[in-house]
Amino acid sequence: MERYDDTQIIHMLEDAKTRKKAFEEIVKQYSEPLYWKIRRIVLVHEDANDILQNVFIKIWNNIADFRSESKLSTWLFRVAINESIDFVRRNKNQRSNLLGSDDDSLVCKLMADEYFDGDETEALLQEAVSKLPEVQRAVFTMRYYDDMKYSEMSKILKTSEGALKASYHIAANKIADFFRSQD
Amino acid sequence: MEKNKNILAKLKKYRNPFLVPDNYFEDFSKKIMENLPADENDNIIHLDSHRYSLRLKIISVAACFLLILGGAGIFFHSSSCSNSKLPESASSKAIKLSSRDKYIEQATDYAMMDNQDIYACLYDE
C-alpha cells in the first residue's frame, strides 16, 4: 500500500477532491503517535480514546484552513496536546472515571487497570505526573517518554525554549521529591 | 540535580507501561473514516446548526422569562400605584367593573365561537 509523506499529504489537502484521502492518510499515520501523547497525559485509555476522536473531528473541521507555515505533525500534535491539557483542566475537580471514583490511590487503580502493564514504581511515577500542573505534565511527558527536542516542543506549545527547559526541571524536581516522600 | 536524574533514570526510561485493546488503532482509523461526512463542510454545518438551535432555544427561554418578569413588574407597579391613590368613587368603580365584565364577556363569546361564526362575523364586518 502506498504511503504518502507529509509534503504529499499537504499537497493533497490543498485540493478539495483529494482532501478526504489526505485526511485518511493523516488518521492512518498519526492515530498512534497522537494517542500516546494524549494517553501519557490523561493516563486512562477511555479518556484518551475520547480525546483522540475529538482531535480528529477538530482536524477535519479545520483541515481546509491548514497552512503549511508549520509542519503537519506540529499542527496535529498541537491540537492533541491542547485537547489533553483542556481535558485535564476540566477534570481537575471532578476527576475521571479511574482517577477519582473513590478514595483509592491512583497507584491501586492503575495496578487494577487492564490496560496498565507497569509495576508499582511505574504506577507511582504516573501518580507523581498526575500531580503536576497541566502544562508541566505535557512538557514532562513529551521530554521524558518521547525525548522530544525543546525546539520542537516550543513550536507545538508556542512557548520559549527557556521556559520549557525550566518547566521540565521543575517537573523533574517535583517528581523526585514525590519519590523521596514515599521512602 | 544529579540525585533527581538518578531517580528518573531508575524508572526504566522510555518504557511505556500503557496498553491498548487488541487492534485498537486499525479499528479506530476505520471507525473515524466510516463516521466521516461526505464533505467536511457537512460536519461544520451540523455542529453549527446544532449550536445555533441550542442558542436560539436559550435566547427564547430567556426572552420569555424576561417578558414574564417585566409583565409581573408592570402589574405590581400599576396595582401598587392604584392602591396608593385616593379611594375611587363608587361610580367610577362600577364603570370599571362593568367595562371589565364586558371585556370578559366578549372574550368568552369569541372563545365559544366556532369557525362558521367567525366567518359570519368577519363577513359582517
Side-chain angles (χ1 to χ4, degrees):
Chain A
M1 202 196 290
E2 193 181 357
R3 190 187 156 94
Y4 298 90
D5 61 27
D6 281 4
T7 319
Q8 288 171 306
I9 293 174
I10 291 167
H11 186 66
M12 286 158 75
L13 284 177
E14 285 162 4
D15 185 351
K17 285 176 195 161
T18 50
R19 201 168 284 155
K20 193 168 178 178
K21 177 73 190 157
F23 180 74
E24 192 175 357
E25 273 307 306
I26 292 172
V27 175
K28 271 187 205 162
Q29 292 187 27
Y30 284 96
S31 285
E32 197 165 345
L34 291 178
Y35 173 86
W36 290 119
K37 294 254 178 315
I38 297 166
R39 177 77 185 270
R40 283 166 193 147
I41 296 172
V42 302
L43 307 179
V44 184
H45 167 70
E46 286 74 17
D47 293 339
N49 180 48
D50 289 348
I51 295 167
L52 189 61
Q53 284 183 42
N54 289 343
V55 166
F56 280 115
I57 288 171
K58 279 203 169 168
I59 289 168
W60 176 250
N61 285 342
N62 296 298
I63 208 156
D65 301 330
F66 173 72
R67 301 281 171 270
S68 45
E69 292 149 6
S70 63
K71 272 169 69 184
L72 180 65
S73 60
T74 305
W75 179 56
L76 300 174
F77 287 140
R78 186 182 300 141
V79 178
I81 297 292
N82 286 341
E83 278 291 305
S84 310
I85 290 174
D86 283 348
F87 176 86
V88 174
R89 253 178 218 147
R90 278 198 306 272
N91 288 271
K92 225 172 186 177
N93 296 323
Q94 37 162 57
R95 303 179 81 195
S96 65
N97 301 338
L98 182 81
L99 302 184
S101 52
D102 52 48
D103 293 332
D104 290 352
S105 71
L106 176 61
V107 174
C108 296
K109 283 171 180 169
L110 281 175
M111 296 305 284
D113 183 0
E114 61 174 320
Y115 299 124
F116 185 78
D117 186 35
D119 57 22
E120 205 180 328
T121 313
E122 282 162 329
L124 271 171
L125 174 63
Q126 299 312 319
E127 185 162 342
V129 170
S130 77
K131 289 180 187 302
L132 296 172
E134 308 85 51
V135 179
Q136 263 178 40
R137 197 159 157 172
V139 172
F140 180 82
T141 54
M142 280 193 279
R143 180 75 185 163
Y144 185 74
Y145 288 108
D146 301 331
D147 213 9
M148 191 183 274
K149 287 177 182 165
Y150 286 113
S151 55
E152 198 183 341
M153 233 189 275
S154 162
K155 285 174 195 154
I156 293 171
L157 294 170
K158 292 185 174 172
T159 311
S160 73
E161 287 184 40
L164 291 169
K165 279 178 193 170
S167 192
Y168 179 79
H169 286 295
I170 293 167
N173 284 340
K174 282 182 186 171
I175 289 168
D177 287 344
F178 175 85
F179 274 96
R180 274 188 218 106
S181 71
Q182 299 293 314
D183 291 339
Chain B
M1 185 67 83
E2 204 52 43
K3 271 184 189 173
N4 294 350
K5 273 187 184 170
N6 290 340
I7 286 174
L8 289 173
K10 270 185 206 166
L11 296 167
K12 301 173 190 170
K13 200 177 177 186
Y14 308 131
R15 187 186 179 281
N16 182 11
F18 299 111
L19 302 172
V20 291
D22 293 338
N23 301 321
Y24 170 70
F25 294 111
E26 292 82 355
D27 295 345
F28 180 86
S29 302
K30 269 186 212 160
K31 203 169 80 182
I32 284 282
M33 292 314 295
E34 278 167 11
N35 292 321
L36 208 66
D39 175 15
E40 72 266 25
N41 293 324
D42 285 358
N43 205 2
I44 296 167
I45 291 163
H46 287 314
L47 287 173
D48 283 352
S49 64
H50 173 70
R51 275 185 208 146
Y52 176 73
S53 65
L54 187 72
R55 212 175 293 157
L56 199 69
K57 274 180 196 166
I58 293 167
I59 290 169
S60 329
V61 169
C64 288
F65 184 69
L66 285 175
L67 210 68
I68 291 164
L69 266 182
I74 290 166
F75 174 76
F76 284 117
H77 180 71
S78 64
S79 65
S80 67
C81 283
S82 62
N83 285 344
S84 65
K85 280 177 190 167
L86 287 169
E88 287 174 324
S89 66
S91 61
S92 70
K93 255 188 191 172
I95 290 163
K96 259 193 180 173
L97 277 175
S98 70
S99 70
R100 195 181 293 169
D101 288 348
K102 241 183 200 175
Y103 173 73
I104 290 167
E105 268 174 27
Q106 264 183 347
T108 319
D109 284 345
Y110 275 115
M112 288 168 74
M113 271 176 154
D114 58 24
N115 282 349
Q116 277 184 335
D117 291 335
I118 291 167
Y119 295 145
C121 187
L122 288 170
Y123 187 73
D124 286 343
E125 278 176 11

